Amino acid sequence: MKLKRNKEEKKNVAGMGRRVYRLILFSIIYIFGAVACFAAVVLLFGTIGYIRTKTLYDKANAEYVNVVSPNAVKAKVSDNGTGLSGNSAASDINGVPGNGSLSGNSASANEPVFTRDTRSVGEIQVDMQGLRQVNKEVVGWIYFEDGLISYPILFSGDNEKYLKRNYLEKYMASGSIFLEAASAPDFSDHYTLLYGHNMRDLTMFGKLRYYKSRPGYYKYHGYFHIITADADYRYKIFSCKQVASESEIYSVIHKDKPGLEAYAKTFLIPDSVINEPTDIKDNGHVLTLSTCVSDYAYRMIVCGVREEDGQQNDPAVVVDERI
């Protein structure tokens, strides 16, 4: 009887061991399955968010921005005459990709070749009156001359509201391009800051990463404009670097304060990956674009000097390079 009991006990122990093993195995499979499902949901919602952002701002560009230049006219005439086809440099009348994306904010590998990287002041026309009827906190528009960054600029008087809201004041993870709370909303300060998210799909300030990661990118993407209700300001990019989140560069220099020249030489130019001699005067105007990087302790900045205050632009350079 004792031997039989020992066999039964061993059998029960072995059965219990198998049950525990199956329980652990099923638990692991369940956990991995749950993690995979969660990751898939996050990816799905992230993708939907990217699509919503691109759709919204493509629509805004189509409705409020018109770019007229000799280059755009030539592209249109050439398209009608000689017939550009495939992935050529053909553009629509706004001088931007002819694939339904008026803002050029797409990260598509089939983006066309841009053959001109300069826009004269006045060629970029923005319906600021129409924008301000939608949201009175729209104070301007930022437009890179290659058309790859083109967004309204918001000013709420704080640095929180537009972190996760679009220019329609509705929730959007990509937020908006917005002006530092301490800055003058008319861009009259000697040193001004703009913030935007570094989105993985390259929307918002996502493409600023190229100034740091792609040698020579600056050569073909050296200018941007700030268009307000009263003016079109053209900026020449002269610096790009990574800085600490608590860096001194996050201090505005107001229009009645001196020190811009020394400030730029001390904080903005050293360690820049762009080595571009630039004459910055105390009465000039510098605009810094700031975006996040993977390490929250740091930020990446791209700085531009207002053209009439610094070096003037060289003649238009014809280029043949994809982004």
Side-chain angles (χ1 to χ4, degrees):
M1 288 293 293
K2 186 175 181 180
L3 181 62
K4 184 176 181 180
R5 192 183 310 113
N6 288 340
K7 287 183 178 180
E8 289 179 353
E9 289 177 354
K10 289 180 180 180
K11 186 176 180 181
N12 291 337
V13 170
M16 183 179 296
R18 286 193 295 271
R19 288 193 294 273
V20 171
Y21 172 78
R22 285 196 293 267
L23 179 61
I24 294 173
L25 180 61
F26 290 150
S27 297
I28 293 173
I29 293 173
Y30 175 81
I31 291 171
F32 273 100
V35 170
C37 289
F38 177 76
V41 170
V42 170
L43 180 62
L44 175 62
F45 277 97
T47 301
I48 293 173
Y50 294 150
I51 293 172
R52 287 182 62 235
T53 297
K54 182 180 180 302
T55 300
L56 175 68
Y57 287 108
D58 279 351
K59 182 179 178 181
N61 272 267
E63 185 171 354
Y64 299 111
V65 181
N66 182 40
V67 181
V68 179
S69 71
N71 184 63
V73 174
K74 285 181 181 178
K76 192 68 176 179
V77 171
S78 182
D79 187 30
N80 290 335
T82 61
L84 297 173
S85 60
N87 291 326
S88 67
S91 300
D92 67 8
I93 193 63
N94 286 326
V96 290
N99 58 2
S101 172
L102 290 178
S103 68
N105 293 325
S106 169
S108 169
N110 294 320
E111 286 182 293
V113 176
F114 288 86
T115 56
R116 188 177 183 229
D117 188 39
T118 56
R119 300 281 183 195
S120 297
V121 170
E123 288 183 354
I124 307 151
Q125 302 166 358
V126 178
D127 180 9
M128 287 298 299
Q129 182 178 355
L131 279 165
R132 289 182 64 82
Q133 287 177 352
V134 173
N135 185 346
K136 291 182 179 180
E137 293 183 331
V138 176
V139 294
W141 193 283
I142 182 169
Y143 187 95
F144 273 60
E145 293 191 350
D146 49 24
L148 299 178
I149 295 178
S150 181
Y151 296 101
I153 300 169
L154 284 299
F155 178 75
S156 62
D158 63 64
N159 292 333
E160 301 293 332
K161 179 175 180 177
Y162 289 104
L163 275 173
K164 296 293 182 181
R165 295 186 191 181
N166 57 37
Y167 77 100
L168 300 177
E169 301 187 87
K170 296 181 179 179
Y171 175 82
M172 184 168 278
S174 57
S176 298
I177 307 301
F178 63 94
L179 193 63
E180 157 64 40
S183 296
D186 62 354
F187 297 90
S188 60
D189 289 329
H190 292 306
Y191 181 68
T192 302
L193 289 150
L194 276 185
Y195 303 115
H197 287 303
N198 185 357
M199 302 301 292
R200 291 181 181 178
D201 68 338
L202 304 180
T203 52
M204 311 313 290
F205 277 172
K207 294 185 181 74
L208 293 184
R209 70 187 69 173
Y210 291 151
Y211 288 97
K212 189 172 184 295
S213 65
R214 293 188 178 185
Y217 183 82
Y218 163 79
K219 181 179 178 181
Y220 304 106
H221 308 271
Y223 296 87
F224 64 88
H225 292 241
I226 298 294
I227 299 98
T228 70
D230 303 314
D232 179 349
Y233 300 118
R234 189 170 191 252
Y235 291 80
K236 177 184 179 180
I237 294 171
F238 66 91
S239 178
C240 171
K241 64 179 186 175
Q242 186 166 291
V243 299
S245 298
E246 303 299 324
S247 169
E248 295 87 345
I249 72 101
Y250 292 104
S251 299
V252 171
I253 300 178
H254 296 296
K255 58 185 177 182
D256 57 343
K257 301 292 183 181
L260 178 62
E261 182 179 0
Y263 187 88
K265 290 179 179 179
T266 303
F267 299 118
L268 304 181
I269 295 175
D271 302 319
S272 169
V273 298
I274 297 173
N275 184 20
E276 184 67 19
T278 304
D279 186 18
I280 298 174
K281 303 298 185 183
D282 268 355
N283 63 348
H285 298 272
V286 168
L287 182 63
T288 289
L289 314 179
S290 175
T291 192
C292 52
V293 294
S294 57
D295 187 340
Y296 289 119
Y298 295 92
R299 298 287 185 270
M300 191 185 78
I301 61 169
V302 172
C303 308
V305 59
R306 196 178 294 179
E307 192 176 57
E308 67 266 30
D309 304 317
Q311 287 185 334
Q312 296 299 308
N313 179 32
D314 293 328
V317 178
V318 176
V319 301
D320 185 9
E321 178 172 292
R322 293 180 185 274
I323 64 166

